[in-house]
Each structure stands twice: as C-alpha cells, then as structure tokens.
C-alpha cells in the first residue's frame, strides 16, 4: 500500500488578510514558518521516502521544514501550484465581491468563474491529480510520499484523484494552513481517503484556500 500525504503550506500575510494569492509567489510569514516546523515534527514520523512541492515559495519553504528533519531532497513540480485566479490575484475577497459580484457569486456556489481569467475547476483538478499520481510513483512498495501544495489545489486535486463530483467535494471544509490529507492506494481498492484536515490544532479561523 502506498501512502500519499497532501500538505497545505503555512500561513502568509495574504492568508491573514483574506487576499487572493493564486499563483502570486507570496512568502510564508513568521506564523507560517512556525506552523511548518510544528507540522514537520509530526510528519517526520511517517518516514517519507520522498518530498515533492509546488515551486511557489510558500509551499517549497513549508516542505523545507520536513526536508531538514529527514535529509531528503525536495522535488518541485509547477503542476502543484495554486489555482490561477487571474484578475482576482492581489485583491481581497471583499474587493472581489464588491467589484466582480457575478464572478464572486459563481465562486461561492462552487461553479466555474466566467471571466477574470480564473482557472476552471476541471483544469485545476486534472493538473494537480496528475502531479499527485506522479509523486506517488516515487514511493517504494509500502512507502510514503509527502506533497506540499496549496489549499484549493489540494482539495480539487484530491477530489479529481478520487473521482468525486463537485457536490461531494463541497462537503469538505477548506484545509487549514499546514494541515494535510492522507490518501492510500493499493491494487485492489485504488485510491482511498484515510484522513482529512489533519495537523496541529489551529488557534484561529480558517483562511480562504486561495
């Protein structure tokens, strides 16, 4: 059985301000770096055989906290980047709601955004799912791979991998910063979710997964 851990990056100033990051390369803040270290101390117990990360610094630097404990080299994959939010990137969600109300309403309803250059959910799910499957192949039989990525990317990629529809996927809450999903795979049952939103207990509300 292969185990795949899909790990959301630590907190950033844009997370804290409910500002849409998308594929903007926003670094971890002090809280995010502490979260990464705390989470790494739990994840090292899984004895990962490989670590893969989005090439955006907030995910790569989160992965680096685990690499420091394991001695593993991080492989980066741009397919693990966050959803591209086009013209929303850099805006607060309040600004999106006020200035682009129709687009915001579709996003809130879990539908594809029409306009604004926002990546479709299908495109997001497929590219992240493909990256997750390639990452899983790095594990030896019975091994574990940890993948550091982003909130929307993780949820949509996992959902695509499991074959879930949008309605089913919307029953999952957004991943908290530095929390993760645990998936397993074997030849008889395929991919299964073993755990969701696992990590050190959060002390603040969940920021938007963007």
């Amino acid at each position: 059985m292969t185990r795949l851990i899909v790990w959301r990056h630590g907190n950033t100033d844009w997370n804290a301000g409910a500002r849409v990051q998308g594929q903007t390369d926003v670094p971890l803040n002090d809280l995010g770096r502490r979260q990464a270290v705390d989470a790494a101390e739990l994840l090292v117990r899984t004895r990962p055989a490989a670590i893969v990360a989005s090439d955006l610094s907030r995910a790569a630097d989160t992965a680096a906290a685990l690499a420091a404990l394991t001695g593993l080299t991080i492989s980066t994959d741009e397919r693990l980047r966050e959803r591209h939010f086009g013209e929303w990137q850099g805006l607060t969600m309040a600004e999106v709601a006020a200035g682009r109300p129709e687009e915001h309403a579709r996003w809130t309803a879990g539908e594809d955004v029409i306009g604004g250059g926002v990546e479709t959910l299908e495109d997001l799910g497929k590219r992240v799912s493909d990256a997750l499957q390639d990452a899983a192949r790095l594990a030896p039989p019975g091994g574990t791979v940890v993948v550091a990525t982003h909130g929307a990317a993780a949820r949509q990629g996992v959902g695509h991998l499991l074959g879930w529809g949008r309605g089913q996927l919307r029953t999952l809450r957004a991943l908290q910063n530095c929390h993760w999903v645990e998936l397993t795979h074997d030849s008889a049952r395929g991919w299964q979710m073993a755990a969701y939103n696992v990590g050190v207990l959060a002390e603040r509300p969940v920021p938007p997964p963007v």
Side-chain angles (χ1 to χ4, degrees):
M1 180 180 291
T2 298
R3 178 166 54 176
L4 185 64
I5 293 174
V6 185
W7 185 20
R8 187 188 178 194
H9 63 77
N11 193 262
T12 71
D13 288 344
W14 283 25
N15 283 149
R19 193 172 296 278
V20 182
Q21 295 178 121
Q23 295 188 5
T24 308
D25 197 5
V26 183
L28 296 175
N29 57 23
D30 288 343
L31 171 61
R33 286 187 286 272
R34 290 197 302 272
Q35 289 174 329
V37 170
D38 290 344
E41 290 176 351
L42 296 179
L43 288 172
V44 72
R45 301 174 192 173
T46 69
R47 299 182 179 179
I51 303 171
V52 184
S54 158
D55 60 347
L56 297 178
S57 63
R58 59 190 183 272
D61 289 349
T62 296
L66 181 59
L69 298 180
T70 62
L72 294 170
T73 299
I74 300 167
S75 300
T76 58
D77 189 334
E78 66 180 20
R79 294 175 299 172
L80 294 168
R81 289 181 181 181
E82 182 57 290
R83 185 180 187 182
H84 184 60
F85 276 88
E87 296 173 23
W88 293 26
Q89 293 180 178
L91 301 177
T92 65
M93 271 301 174
E95 290 169 339
V96 173
R100 315 179 78 97
E102 293 182 3
E103 295 174 14
H104 184 266
R106 291 185 66 87
W107 176 80
T108 301
E111 300 172 359
D112 282 326
V113 175
I114 306 300
V118 179
E119 184 176 12
T120 69
L121 292 169
E122 177 65 22
D123 286 349
L124 172 64
K126 184 178 187 310
R127 71 167 166 85
V128 177
S129 174
D130 287 349
L132 293 178
Q133 292 185 78
D134 285 347
R137 295 186 183 102
L138 300 175
T144 297
V145 175
V146 175
V147 176
T149 183
H150 308 264
R155 188 165 62 167
Q156 203 67 31
V158 165
H160 195 280
L161 192 65
L162 295 171
W164 289 7
R166 291 189 187 183
Q168 187 175 5
L169 194 53
R170 278 176 60 78
T171 65
L172 296 176
R173 289 187 61 193
L175 276 178
Q176 295 172 284
N177 284 117
C178 258
H179 282 52
W180 58 87
V181 185
E182 182 178 339
L183 303 170
T184 60
H185 183 274
D186 63 46
S187 58
R189 289 168 292 188
W191 285 104
Q192 294 185 304
M193 181 182 290
Y196 184 82
N197 231 345
V198 181
V200 180
L201 290 177
E203 299 178 354
R204 51 185 44 77
V206 180
V210 295

